[in-house]
Amino acid sequence: MEFGRLITAMVTPFDADGQIDWQTTGRLIDYLIEEQQSDSLVVSGTTGESPTLSDEEKLELFRFSVKHANGRCKIIAGTGSNNTAHSIHLTQKAEAAGVDGILLVAPYYNRPSQEGLYQHFKAVAEATALPVILYNVEGRTGVNISVETTLRLAQIDNVVATKDCASIDQLIQIVSGAPEDFKVYSGDDGATLPALAVGGYGIISVASHIIGAEMKELIQAYVSGNVKEAALINGRIFPIFKGLFACPHPVPNPVAVKYALGLKDLPVGGVRLPLVTVTEAEAAFLRNLLA
């Protein structure tokens, strides 16, 4: 399965009552494919506010996204949790819904050992025929999937990639030790170019909601050998990478990007509690950033 180099972790649009806005979800999928040039979309990941979505909402999002994308891009379902049995259940339901792959975040809060992480991911991978992308984000989960554990998991046939938010040092070691067809994606927008430079394959991005076309241009410049052009593009868009999370003080994902989409004439509604929308100061910062 080829998921491409630019994957967007898609927000979930909500209406004024906090329910999923299906019409806007369709518009957002079109926009991300046609205007922002996403190769694949992650649906119901943490950017999609997965902790606040019910299983029924997640499954309807999977079915809707597969149908609406209609083969124009791949749909990757966020089915990870800190409950292995529940992750297996949701993964099997997502497979039945027709998704192209799954993204499995490391179990959060219970902070398993490296052996526990390995057994968790192995159990889910063995319960599905779908390609599996690991998701390592210690800042959210409290646990790092080590290089050694990632490389063990990469030996499982349908564990095909990782989205890793760890240091470039860790990415280097994974790229160096993994099978040739195992793909390493950065999970940090600001590290897109450095990750490519050490052998990463691409980016699973939030900023691609806003500057996806520019990010695709950066990636294509780099892989075609035009490193100087890639560096120039990176320099232009780097303030947006950082600003979407600085804003002017750090804000939880996806608060800023949802507001920013409204500035792009694609309002996607607010966020569900416990997240809250941007403050006036943050809104002013974002308006200036994207002007």
Side-chain angles (χ1 to χ4, degrees):
M1 180 66 67
E2 174 56 61
F3 293 113
R5 294 183 183 270
L6 179 64
I7 301 173
T8 297
M10 191 178 82
V11 302
T12 301
F14 296 131
D15 63 21
D17 296 319
Q19 301 305 304
I20 296 175
D21 183 334
W22 296 106
Q23 182 176 3
T24 302
T25 300
R27 288 182 58 211
L28 179 61
I29 291 171
D30 293 339
Y31 161 84
L32 290 173
I33 296 170
E34 296 166 7
E35 295 189 37
Q36 299 298 354
Q37 302 179 27
S38 298
D39 298 310
S40 297
L41 302 176
V42 174
V43 178
S44 183
T46 46
T47 302
E49 298 176 71
S50 58
T52 70
L53 298 173
S54 68
D55 280 3
E56 292 75 17
E57 288 175 318
K58 291 177 182 180
L59 292 171
E60 187 58 29
L61 272 170
F62 300 156
R63 288 188 288 263
F64 179 92
S65 299
V66 168
K67 182 177 180 180
H68 194 87
N70 193 29
R72 293 176 295 160
C73 76
K74 301 294 193 298
I75 300 298
I76 302 165
T79 59
S81 75
N82 59 353
N83 178 334
T84 305
H86 182 249
S87 293
I88 290 171
H89 170 76
L90 191 58
T91 295
Q92 292 174 334
K93 292 288 188 180
E95 184 171 3
V99 303
D100 299 293
I102 60 168
L103 181 74
L104 293 179
V105 69
Y108 37 86
Y109 188 77
N110 39 20
R111 301 181 69 180
S113 67
Q114 292 300 313
E115 184 61 25
L117 288 169
Y118 176 78
Q119 294 298 338
H120 168 81
F121 289 118
K122 179 174 180 284
V124 181
E126 289 179 344
T128 181
L130 290 173
V132 173
I133 303 174
L134 310 173
Y135 180 15
N136 185 35
V137 55
E138 185 177 6
R140 283 181 176 266
T141 64
V143 63
N144 176 50
I145 309 172
S146 71
V147 171
E148 294 75 18
T149 300
T150 302
L151 296 179
R152 282 181 74 193
L153 289 164
Q155 301 302 316
I156 299 172
D157 285 347
N158 63 327
V159 177
V160 301
T162 185
K163 173 188 178 182
D164 206 307
C165 299
S167 68
I168 291 294
D169 286 357
Q170 178 152 320
L171 297 191
I172 292 170
Q173 293 176 73
I174 295 170
V175 168
S176 300
E180 188 175 348
D181 58 352
F182 184 82
K183 293 181 170 62
V184 176
Y185 290 91
S186 175
D188 176 0
D189 284 310
T192 301
L193 184 55
L196 292 171
V198 300
Y201 190 72
I203 178 75
I204 300 181
S205 173
V206 176
S208 54
H209 285 87
I210 308 302
I211 50 172
E214 292 89 340
M215 294 178 72
K216 178 62 77 70
E217 186 182 3
L218 182 160
I219 293 167
Q220 290 176 338
Y222 184 84
V223 299
S224 67
N226 195 342
V227 177
K228 183 176 181 180
E229 178 65 17
L232 288 172
I233 297 167
N234 186 66
R236 286 202 306 269
I237 62 179
F238 193 79
I240 297 176
F241 289 153
K242 291 303 180 185
L244 285 174
F245 293 93
C247 182
H249 307 292
V251 294
N253 180 37
V255 172
V257 75
K258 277 194 153 183
Y259 181 81
L261 280 165
L263 300 177
K264 299 278 284 186
D265 296 322
L266 185 56
V268 292
V271 288
R272 285 179 173 175
L273 287 170
L275 299 182
V276 293
T277 194
V278 294
T279 65
E280 283 299 321
E282 291 160 352
F285 176 88
L286 288 167
R287 288 193 297 269
N288 181 65
L289 178 71
L290 300 175

